[in-house]
Amino acid sequence: MIPASPLSLQPVRWQALWRDAVRDPRELLALLDLPQLAAEISDEAAARFALRVPRGFVARMGKGDPNDPLLRQVLPLRAETRAVEGFGLDAVGDAQAKTGAGVLQKYRGRALLVATGSCAINCRYCFRRHFPYAEETAAREGWREAIALIRADASVEEVILSGGDPLSLSTAKLAELTTALATIPHLKRLRIHSRLPVVLPERVDAEFLAWLRALPWPVAVVIHANHANEFDAQVDAALSSLRNAGAMLLNQAVLLRGVNDDVDALAALSARGFAAGVLPYYLHQLDKVQGTAHFEVSDANAKRLHAQLAARLPGYLVPKLVREVAGDSGKRPLQ
Ligand SMILES: *Cc1c(COP(=O)(O)O)cnc(C)c1O
Ligand code: SF4
C-alpha cells in the first residue's frame, strides 16, 4: 500500500507564495506601520506598473522606517508620474537589438532570452518596465524561434536567461528549453539572471536544483540585490544550495538614490553577498526610463562612490561601475 503523502510536512510551494504577494500599496504601508506615506503614493503610478512584493521580502523591511531601502525599491510614488527630459521608454536600445521573438543580441558570443515578462517583485527602477513583453517572450510556442536562432548562429557560445524573471517559469518549462539547447554543439555556457533567489528564495526548490545539477554546461547565476538587508537566513540557504548544485554566483546591483548611494551601504552589500557565496559583478548606473528619474545618481557621484569603495575593499569585492549605452559592444565602464 502506498502511504498517503504527509501534506502538512511539505514546504509551502513557491507558486503559492508568489500568488500571495502584496499588491495593494496601502496594505504594504499598514504592514509596516507607515500610514503617513500614503500621501506620497500614486495610484496612477501603480496603475501603470503595479506594486508587487512577496511577503518574505516585506518581512525584511524595517517597521516604521519611511526610508527603508527595500521599501523604496517597490513603492509607487507620485514622483514617477513626472515627465523628465531624457527619460524615455526604451533607454537601452532593446527594440533594435531584437533578432527574433524574445531574443536580444547586442554583444559578441551572447544571446539574451527575454524568457518571460513576469517577475515576483516589481522594482520601480526597472529598465524593462515598458518592454512590450506580451509579444516578445521567448518561452511562447515552446521556445521554438529562440532555439532555431541560436542553433543557426555558431557565434553564440552563451545563452543568458533573463526577463522579466526567468525563474518565474516552471522548472518544466526551463527544462523544455535546456533539453533543446543541449543538442546545440556551439553552446559553452548558460547564464541565469534572476532576482528570485533573493526576493522569493523558496523558488530554489528540490526540483529546480535537480534540473540545475543535470545541465551539461558550466552555469553562472547572476542574482540581483541592491542592499545588504535583502539577505536573510533563507536567502543564504537558497544561495548555498545553488552553489552546491555547481552554479557560480554573481550579483548585479543598480545604483539608486535613497537606496544604496553611500559607500557604507555599497561596502555592506559586497561583504554580505560574499558571506553568502556571491561575488559582486556589476553596479549599474540607472537606465533612463520614464518614471525612474527620482532614483538617479549623477555620474560624478557614482564615480566618487566607486572610488571610495575601491579604496576600502579588496578588489574582488568591488563591482564594475557600468552604464548600458545603446549600440555599444558591451556594458560601458564609467571612469
Ligand atoms: C547586459 C547584456 C548582456 C550581458 O552582458 P555581460 O557584460 O556579458 O554581462 C548580454 N546581452 C544583452 C542584450 C545585454 O543587455
Ligand atoms: S526583478 Fe528585474 S526584471 Fe523584474 S522588475 Fe525587478 S529589475 Fe525588473
Side-chain angles (χ1 to χ4, degrees):
M1 207 174 90
I2 301 164
S5 70
L7 266 181
S8 57
L9 294 181
Q10 290 192 349
V12 183
R13 286 171 47 102
W14 63 273
Q15 292 92 339
L17 296 168
W18 173 291
R19 282 191 295 273
D20 190 37
V22 179
R23 295 161 201 227
D24 175 355
R26 281 160 193 90
E27 184 191 354
L28 179 60
L29 296 186
L31 287 169
L32 296 171
D33 292 334
L34 285 168
Q36 70 273 28
L37 279 188
E40 269 192 66
I41 282 182
S42 161
D43 291 325
E44 189 189 333
R48 285 188 200 167
F49 187 49
L51 172 98
R52 176 175 199 110
V53 49
R55 286 175 198 273
F57 195 77
V58 176
R60 293 171 234 162
M61 297 176 183
K63 281 212 169 169
D65 179 2
N67 298 317
D68 181 87
L70 280 56
L71 175 64
R72 287 284 149 190
Q73 295 179 49
V74 300
L75 207 56
L77 299 178
R78 286 185 191 284
E80 290 181 26
T81 59
R82 251 188 312 131
V84 179
E85 173 105 25
F87 284 74
L89 293 180
D90 178 13
V92 296
D94 276 348
Q96 283 94 55
K98 197 178 55 180
T99 57
V103 183
L104 299 179
Q105 282 183 276
K106 290 185 184 173
Y107 308 146
R108 187 171 169 79
R110 287 150 285 176
L112 181 146
L113 303 191
V114 178
T116 165
S118 303
C119 293
I121 189 167
N122 284 346
C123 311
R124 306 316 297 180
Y125 54 85
C126 181
F127 71 114
R128 292 215 180 103
R129 55 183 282 172
H130 307 289
F131 197 76
Y133 286 120
E135 311 103 75
E136 299 297 348
T137 71
R140 43 166 222 173
E141 292 170 30
W143 307 94
R144 257 186 291 280
E145 201 173 337
I147 291 161
L149 278 162
I150 294 163
R151 192 185 299 285
D153 183 350
S155 77
V156 177
E157 298 193 332
E158 176 171 344
V159 169
I160 303 171
L161 303 184
S162 183
D165 200 307
L167 298 197
S168 63
L169 296 171
S170 68
T171 302
K173 192 80 192 164
L174 296 171
E176 193 179 281
L177 173 69
T178 51
T179 300
L181 292 180
T183 66
I184 301 179
H186 50 263
L187 288 185
K188 299 200 168 66
R189 294 180 295 281
L190 183 76
R191 192 191 324 180
I192 301 170
H193 283 178
S194 175
R195 190 144 161 70
L196 271 167
V198 173
V199 302
L200 195 73
E202 294 83 356
R203 173 64 185 93
V204 183
D205 60 7
E207 184 193 13
F208 179 76
L209 290 166
W211 168 77
L212 188 61
R213 231 178 255 115
L215 292 174
W217 319 274
V219 178
V221 175
V222 183
I223 64 162
H224 173 182
N226 300 309
H227 194 279
N229 293 0
E230 292 175 44
F231 293 81
D232 68 2
Q234 217 164 352
V235 174
D236 287 345
L239 296 172
S240 158
S241 39
L242 289 173
R243 284 219 301 164
N244 289 337
M248 185 81 79
L249 300 184
L250 301 167
N251 182 48
Q252 51 183 343
V254 183
L255 185 57
L256 298 166
R257 195 202 309 165
V259 173
N260 59 12
D261 60 334
D262 72 83
V263 69
D264 292 332
L266 292 171
L269 173 62
S270 278
R272 187 62 184 83
F274 187 70
V278 185
L279 284 174
Y281 181 40
Y282 282 144
L283 178 62
H284 294 273
Q285 262 297 44
L286 186 73
D287 295 316
K288 296 191 174 195
V289 300
Q290 221 173 69
T292 66
H294 56 291
F295 286 117
E296 193 184 21
V297 176
S298 70
D299 279 0
N301 272 343
K303 288 184 218 170
R304 185 179 47 79
L305 282 167
H306 191 250
Q308 289 172 348
L309 195 62
R312 193 190 276 205
L313 293 178
Y316 63 89
L317 291 186
V318 182
K320 293 186 192 110
L321 177 65
V322 294
R323 147 158 301 128
E324 182 161 352
V325 179
D328 272 16
S329 58
K331 306 289 185 248
R332 182 183 291 189
L334 258 80
Q335 60 226 162

